[in-house]
Amino acid sequence: MEENITLYAEPIFHYGNFNVTNALLTSWLVVIILIILSFVLRFKLAEIPGKLQNIFEIIIDNALQLCDQVTNSRALSIKIFPIAISVFFFILINNWLGIFPLGGFGIIEKGEHGLAFIPFLRSGTADINTTIALAVMAVLGANIFGIFSIGLWKTFNKYVNLKALGEIFTKVRHEPTVIIVAPITFFVGLIEIVGEFAKIASLSFRLFGNVFAGEVLLVSMAAIVAYIVPIPFLFLELLVGVIQALIFSILLVVYFTISSIDHEDEEHEEENEHNLKRTVLGKVS
């Protein structure tokens, strides 16, 4: 009997026409764990923290400081942090549940090469469907956050820069070069749309590839030497699980931060600063 290692998540049971896979089951379990943990922490809050509260206070405080380093604004960090830390814990626990040796819990099915063992728990992040869903949530959520932060029109103009095309008619007399610059600016906005899809591909395949490769490595090592030897690799994958969850969460914070920045205001500030410097220098000279 062998354990199946497939790119796709294996179905465990069916509910009508709906297949419940081991990756989906693990993701549900992670959500339940997070809900229970949230309620436990909420109802055990105290001025003098216990061990569990103290651990999470340290984690939250350091994570919020890390978020501040990306946003450069505590007010902005407070808005983004709840979703970023939730995604971090969801990915982290998913990564760990997929590699923990929880015993021989699974089902045995007859395959092409004989009997095959299918585990009940497979990391949700080792299923491309889960990582794509997380990536879409991050990119789409960042754009929605941008709409609430700087407005629908400015967010739309990041991708379809109609304002740049309009400047051809308003500035062509004073700045003839706008005939060349404006179409380029408009085209760069369209490239940004492609960039959003590239973000989804990058986020999803990076997370999926690292987690899936780790599970394959552990299964392969266990098949070669069942005892002692796989232990160092298990600890390595625990570390990789933390790193991958941290990378995804930081990139999410970066995308949300970029979406909330009004580049037009920055350009106006730079232009005003430049004009001020010219005025000062003119008076000095």
Side-chain angles (χ1 to χ4, degrees):
M1 183 176 64
E2 60 179 12
E3 181 174 346
N4 275 344
I5 305 176
T6 58
L7 282 171
Y8 56 89
E10 302 92 342
I12 299 298
F13 61 90
H14 309 273
Y15 184 77
N17 295 325
F18 182 72
N19 290 333
V20 177
T21 64
N22 47 10
L24 180 59
L25 187 64
T26 305
S27 296
W28 284 349
L29 180 59
V30 171
V31 172
I32 293 171
I33 291 172
L34 289 175
I35 291 173
I36 294 173
L37 189 59
S38 299
F39 277 109
V40 170
L41 288 170
R42 173 64 183 85
F43 290 112
K44 286 193 174 183
L45 283 178
E47 292 185 5
I48 302 176
K51 292 182 179 179
L52 184 63
Q53 182 181 337
N54 196 34
I55 290 171
F56 275 90
E57 283 185 359
I58 293 171
I59 293 173
I60 296 300
D61 184 57
N62 284 280
L64 190 55
Q65 289 180 22
L66 181 61
C67 190
D68 287 341
Q69 294 178 20
V70 177
T71 63
N72 290 320
S73 168
R74 175 51 66 95
L76 184 58
S77 295
I78 291 174
K79 294 179 181 179
I80 302 173
F81 184 74
I83 188 171
I85 196 67
S86 300
V87 169
F88 172 79
F89 281 120
F90 177 80
I91 294 175
L92 177 65
I93 299 175
N94 250 306
N95 292 347
W96 283 357
L97 281 181
I99 60 177
F100 278 164
L102 298 175
F105 299 103
I107 59 175
I108 298 174
E109 289 187 350
K110 182 179 287 187
E112 297 179 359
H113 306 288
L115 296 177
F117 175 74
I118 299 177
F120 281 134
L121 296 181
R122 166 179 173 153
S123 174
T125 47
D127 179 14
I128 189 64
N129 296 295
T130 305
T131 57
I132 288 177
L134 286 169
V136 170
M137 178 276 301
V139 174
L140 186 61
N143 284 280
I144 294 173
F145 184 74
I147 292 172
F148 283 102
S149 298
I150 62 176
L152 177 60
W153 175 248
K154 290 181 179 180
T155 302
F156 177 76
N157 265 276
K158 285 184 179 181
Y159 306 111
V160 184
N161 200 333
L162 299 177
K163 183 179 178 181
L165 294 180
E167 288 177 350
I168 296 177
F169 305 100
T170 58
K171 294 184 178 181
V172 66
R173 292 183 180 180
H174 306 288
E175 300 178 21
T177 55
V178 75
I179 298 175
I180 299 174
V181 174
I184 294 174
T185 304
F186 178 79
F187 183 70
V188 168
L190 297 180
I191 293 176
E192 285 292 327
I193 297 176
V194 179
E196 294 299 296
F197 288 99
K199 288 177 184 177
I200 294 174
S202 174
L203 284 172
S204 57
F205 284 104
R206 180 194 296 110
L207 181 58
F208 165 73
N210 282 280
V211 176
F212 178 74
E215 291 194 0
V216 172
L217 173 65
L218 290 176
V219 170
S220 302
M221 292 302 301
I224 296 171
V225 182
Y227 303 101
I228 307 299
V229 174
I231 293 177
F233 294 94
L234 178 61
F235 282 105
L236 176 63
E237 289 307 316
L238 290 176
L239 178 61
V240 170
V242 177
I243 293 172
Q244 290 304 316
L246 184 61
I247 289 173
F248 194 102
S249 301
I250 289 177
L251 287 175
L252 183 146
V253 174
V254 170
Y255 296 155
F256 272 64
T257 303
I258 292 173
S259 296
S260 66
I261 295 174
D262 189 349
H263 297 287
E264 290 183 6
D265 287 347
E266 287 186 346
E267 290 175 1
H268 290 315
E269 287 178 6
E270 290 177 1
E271 186 178 349
N272 292 336
E273 184 180 350
H274 180 66
N275 292 335
L276 180 61
K277 286 181 180 178
R278 287 174 58 186
T279 304
V280 172
L281 289 173
K283 290 181 178 180
V284 171
S285 59

